[in-house]
Amino acid sequence: MNTILVSSHRRSGTHFLIDSLRKHIEDAEFPSHRHLPVDFNLGSLFSKDEKVYDAFTKLISVSTPVIIKSHLLPEECHLQSPKDKYEELIKEIFVKSKKLYISRDGKEVLISLYKFLSPSCTFSEFIRENNDHVVREVRSNLDFDANRVSYWSYHTSQWQQEQAVKQLSFSELKNDFQAAMREILQFLGYSEPATIIKPAIPDILWWQRIQRKLNHYGLAKLPESSSVRPNKRVAAGANQYFANAEDEQFFQTNKMKYPID
């Protein structure tokens, strides 16, 4: 198994990092298959779908590097008592993979997630909602699911405590790309290529979506950008969304429940 596990909270620059690895590690693959969910990640194995399991195990059985996306918490990966082959595979990948964790400013994450999900509620209501992501039955504690801010904070803080994980931030990758990629490649044990170039989000997003769909069915290569509904490089606009003093206080209070370095 030659796998690189890229973990993050949703909307933290996951695909930006994945695309950067694809671009600078020879023969690196980001698995896609018609039997896998369109936006497959490690947590998809919790669906306990035989077709998903079979397709995924074949895709990661190659000798070349395979990049695996995950939004799971460490405790959801390193399961103490796996119940079946699906959970055993999740644990095996977590244990045997080289691991990267990319984090992002909490306000930017929540704003991006709000835009991505397009819920029928206000942003103030959205950040106060119970967290809705990941498989709850494998969790030891659900207090951090009380709202979206506390879950983001808990997710980041738990991964920061993990050993043998390369920590990086979205801002580092965005603003000092070459230096960040050199550190990442060194951590993973790959030599630095002659040129280090940041992967670009395409201007024609509808064509990118078509390319991703064709790749899913094995009819084309994955485009340079694998991002799901990218925000066209537009800044999140924290001042606009957190203009309400109550929302700002809510964010700061819940952020501090699980301190982040």
Side-chain angles (χ1 to χ4, degrees), residues 101-123:
Y101 183 79
I102 183 166
S103 59
R104 187 179 184 185
D105 176 83
K107 291 182 179 179
E108 293 181 2
V109 167
L110 294 167
I111 294 168
S112 180
L113 187 60
Y114 181 69
K115 291 181 177 180
F116 178 75
L117 297 175
S118 299
S120 59
C121 64
T122 66
F123 182 72

Side-chain angles (χ1 to χ4, degrees), residues 57-247:
T57 51
K58 288 177 182 177
L59 290 169
I60 64 173
S61 65
V62 297
S63 59
T64 50
V66 179
I67 304 163
I68 302 173
K69 172 183 173 181
S70 176
H71 295 312
L72 296 174
L73 290 161
E75 66 191 68
E76 295 163 337
C77 297
H78 199 272
L79 298 163
Q80 297 302 310
S81 301
K83 298 183 181 67
D84 49 43
K85 65 180 182 180
Y86 304 95
E87 295 185 10
E88 287 172 355
L89 181 56
I90 291 171
K91 183 171 184 176
E92 181 183 9
I93 288 170
F94 178 79
V95 171
K96 293 185 177 180
S97 297
K98 296 174 181 177
K99 294 179 278 290
L100 306 173
Y101 183 79
I102 183 166
S103 59
R104 187 179 184 185
D105 176 83
K107 291 182 179 179
E108 293 181 2
V109 167
L110 294 167
I111 294 168
S112 180
L113 187 60
Y114 181 69
K115 291 181 177 180
F116 178 75
L117 297 175
S118 299
S120 59
C121 64
T122 66
F123 182 72
S124 294
E125 293 169 331
F126 177 75
I127 62 175
R128 289 167 171 80
E129 286 181 342
N130 292 342
N131 175 60
D132 63 347
H133 195 57
V134 192
V135 185
R136 294 172 182 264
E137 56 264 29
V138 302
R139 293 183 172 179
S140 59
N141 182 348
L142 298 180
D143 291 344
F144 51 78
D145 279 322
N147 60 73
R148 296 184 185 276
V149 180
S150 62
Y151 179 72
W152 159 78
S153 180
Y154 183 81
H155 198 289
T156 304
S157 66
Q158 292 301 294
W159 272 101
Q160 286 184 346
Q161 296 175 39
E162 284 295 307
Q163 302 297 315
V165 178
K166 172 63 177 173
Q167 305 283 341
L168 64 147
S169 71
F170 175 80
S171 60
E172 290 172 345
L173 196 61
K174 178 182 177 182
N175 299 324
D176 198 358
F177 183 78
Q178 292 193 355
M181 280 305 304
R182 289 190 186 100
E183 287 189 12
I184 293 167
L185 293 171
Q186 182 179 16
F187 172 81
L188 296 174
Y190 293 102
S191 57
E192 181 183 329
T195 57
I196 297 179
I197 303 173
K198 186 185 297 186
I201 295 175
D203 292 323
I204 306 175
L205 295 180
W206 63 265
W207 175 237
Q208 182 241 21
R209 288 193 291 270
I210 291 174
Q211 288 177 302
R212 289 182 68 249
K213 180 68 72 173
L214 291 172
N215 172 257
H216 185 68
Y217 289 97
L219 300 175
K221 290 184 177 181
L222 188 65
E224 179 179 12
S225 171
S226 65
S227 296
V228 180
R229 288 173 57 186
N231 204 29
K232 300 183 181 180
R233 299 176 291 273
V234 178
N239 291 337
Q240 173 187 350
Y241 283 86
F242 282 92
N244 186 311
E246 287 76 15
D247 289 348

